[in-house]
Amino acid sequence: MHETPQVAVAGWRRGFWCLMATQFQNAFSDNALKQLIILVLLASAATSAGEAEQDRLVALVTAVFSAPFILFAMLGGWMADRFSKQRVMTGVKLAEVAIMGVAAFALASGNLYMKLSAIFLMGCHSAIFAPAKYGILPELLPHDRLSWGNGILELLTFLGIIFGIAASGFLAETFAGAQGLSGLILALLALSGWWLSQGITPVPAANPRCERRINPVTDLWARLMLMKQDRDLWRANWGNAGFFFVAALVQMNLMIYAQDVLNLSKSQNAYLNLALALGIGFGSVAAGYASRGRIEYRLVPIGAVGLALCSVPMGMVGVGFVPFVLCLVGLGFSAGLFIVPIAAVLQHRPAPEDKGAVQGAANVLSFVGILAASGVQWVSFQTLNLTPGQVFWVCGACAMLTGAY
């Protein structure tokens, strides 16, 4: 692998903050729509089916949202290399406006398959957006600000996630019986995201003669073989996949824990997600500043140990609400320390013309991890008969294995 040349422009700040605002809106809308559809489906299932059906619906929506990342992330990586990353993001955000229109119709109609189709299309949108989003950071920022920029990106991403989840509860309760209005609100937010993306600094195409890559399987294999030549890049790629496996399992399990163990309402459930997201966000910022202009590898095992230790009290029977929330914040903070150096490695070490492809491959594997988390969540409850608290122990053990690797 090649070291990245200095390509950041002098006036990088405006383009960087427009990217951050666009990403915040993207994370907010992704999670607001996904979580809103989950809540709507759970509400309908609660009157006609038991807990097993509710668990199945949560796993199904997560799987439908994740599948496009496996199918189209490599296409997104090719587009990020072949065209200007700023133009790719602008085009994708424009497509989001139409997708949210489909979501509004699906929510108004109440049709299950239409709702799943809207989730799938939003997954396609994000699969194309992600490689350009991550790949453009080294082109916007000076090298000594890359870890800092990743910290800010992760902070705003997880704040967007939590506010999106919180908004989904508000929308589910406020527009009960008229969810088409929720879809229209999300369409307006998508329009604002397209407007914000106009301010991202235009950058030239990194590899305008990049050969078209259609087959995601062979393209993924080629990228993996390329990354395997670089030990740090190879391990960072699998560490990234492990992180998203643990993060998805925690998020799905937290929803069930809040409902079945803590007996929280939909809006109260958002407080737990807020604690987790704030922890991840501030852990990410702390990792960015601790890196001091370099990639600080030592933060990865520290974060893994923190994840494991914080998960232990969370699985104990009778743990109080306040200790649980404090452990949740610690879990998130440790996750932020873990992921920032890994993200910086994935951005910095590939050659400039391969950054999009490497990000695409990393996204494929991260969502393989998320799909695996859906399966583990289902097996944990339906086959192993674990309690929601015990699933947190599974999360901690997997975090330790990932950190050890």
Side-chain angles (χ1 to χ4, degrees):
M1 294 294 159
H2 300 82
E3 295 297 317
T4 305
Q6 180 64 46
V7 292
V9 294
W12 57 267
R13 286 177 176 80
R14 179 177 181 274
F16 171 77
W17 288 111
C18 283
L19 173 63
M20 295 300 101
T22 304
Q23 170 57 13
F24 177 84
Q25 178 275 323
N26 190 74
F28 178 95
S29 296
D30 268 5
N31 288 274
L33 178 63
K34 182 177 73 170
Q35 194 77 0
L36 175 62
I37 289 179
I38 287 176
L39 292 175
V40 170
L41 293 178
L42 288 180
S44 61
T47 60
S48 59
E51 291 182 3
E53 177 65 12
Q54 295 180 20
D55 293 341
R56 186 187 71 84
L57 286 171
V58 172
L60 176 62
V61 172
T62 302
V64 169
F65 181 76
S66 303
F69 286 84
I70 297 174
L71 296 173
F72 303 120
M74 296 308 300
L75 174 63
W78 171 76
M79 293 177 67
D81 289 332
R82 173 65 178 80
F83 306 104
S84 166
K85 295 177 180 65
Q86 187 267 347
R87 289 186 60 191
V88 171
M89 286 187 282
T90 300
V92 167
K93 298 311 291 181
L94 187 59
E96 184 188 355
V97 179
I99 292 169
M100 286 304 186
V102 173
F105 178 78
L107 288 164
S109 70
N111 183 278
L112 172 63
Y113 297 105
M114 285 292 297
K115 291 172 186 172
L116 293 177
S117 297
I119 289 287
F120 182 83
L121 289 173
M122 228 14 224
C124 295
H125 149 275
S126 296
I128 302 298
F129 184 80
K133 167 188 70 181
Y134 283 111
I136 200 174
L137 267 184
E139 299 179 31
L140 292 181
L141 292 174
H143 171 61
D144 60 359
R145 303 302 293 272
L146 185 57
S147 289
W148 170 84
N150 273 295
I152 300 297
L153 177 66
E154 297 298 337
L155 169 64
L156 292 176
T157 296
F158 284 99
L159 286 178
I161 289 171
I162 182 52
F163 286 127
I165 292 172
S168 69
F170 172 79
L171 294 172
E173 293 179 352
T174 303
F175 299 111
Q179 288 301 332
L181 294 174
S182 298
L184 291 177
I185 291 172
L186 292 174
L188 290 174
L189 286 174
L191 191 62
S192 72
W194 171 78
W195 178 77
L196 287 167
S197 70
Q198 307 290 312
I200 301 172
T201 306
V203 295
N207 189 6
R209 297 183 181 179
C210 180
E211 183 179 346
R212 182 172 298 174
R213 304 189 293 263
I214 302 298
N215 189 325
V217 176
T218 57
D219 191 20
L220 174 62
W221 182 257
R223 294 308 117 189
L224 289 176
M225 292 302 98
L226 181 68
M227 285 190 282
K228 196 173 183 180
Q229 299 172 22
D230 185 310
R231 177 180 177 273
D232 287 354
L233 188 61
W234 177 249
R235 294 196 176 191
N237 187 50
W238 290 104
N240 185 67
F243 171 83
F244 278 95
F245 168 83
V246 173
L249 189 56
V250 167
Q251 188 178 17
M252 287 187 292
N253 189 58
L254 188 60
M255 184 187 309
I256 296 169
Y257 188 93
Q259 177 178 290
D260 295 350
V261 179
L262 298 178
N263 299 313
L264 300 182
S265 68
K266 294 170 186 174
S267 56
Q268 290 172 326
N269 184 15
Y271 297 136
L272 296 183
N273 285 285
L274 177 61
L276 178 64
L278 287 175
I280 294 175
F282 289 117
S284 299
V285 171
Y289 279 103
S291 298
R292 295 185 296 275
R294 65 180 186 277
I295 299 172
E296 185 53 82
Y297 292 90
R298 290 174 294 183
L299 293 174
V300 176
I302 294 172
V305 171
L307 284 164
L309 292 177
C310 290
S311 69
V312 174
M314 295 170 68
M316 293 179 176
V317 177
V319 61
F321 180 77
V322 172
F324 182 85
V325 171
L326 291 176
C327 288
L328 202 56
V329 173
L331 193 81
F333 190 87
S334 301
L337 296 181
F338 185 95
I339 192 58
V340 165
I342 288 176
V345 171
L346 290 172
Q347 292 163 354
H348 176 64
R349 293 192 70 85
E353 65 272 13
D354 291 324
K355 288 188 185 298
V358 167
Q359 290 296 330
N363 276 303
V364 170
L365 292 182
S366 68
F367 276 85
V368 169
I370 292 173
L371 278 177
S374 299
V376 168
Q377 185 247 10
W378 187 86
V379 169
S380 296
F381 290 123
Q382 303 303 320
T383 303
L384 301 178
N385 296 316
L386 298 181
T387 65
Q390 290 169 337
V391 174
F392 285 123
W393 290 346
V394 175
C395 296
C398 291
M400 280 296 293
L401 289 173
T402 304
Y405 173 76

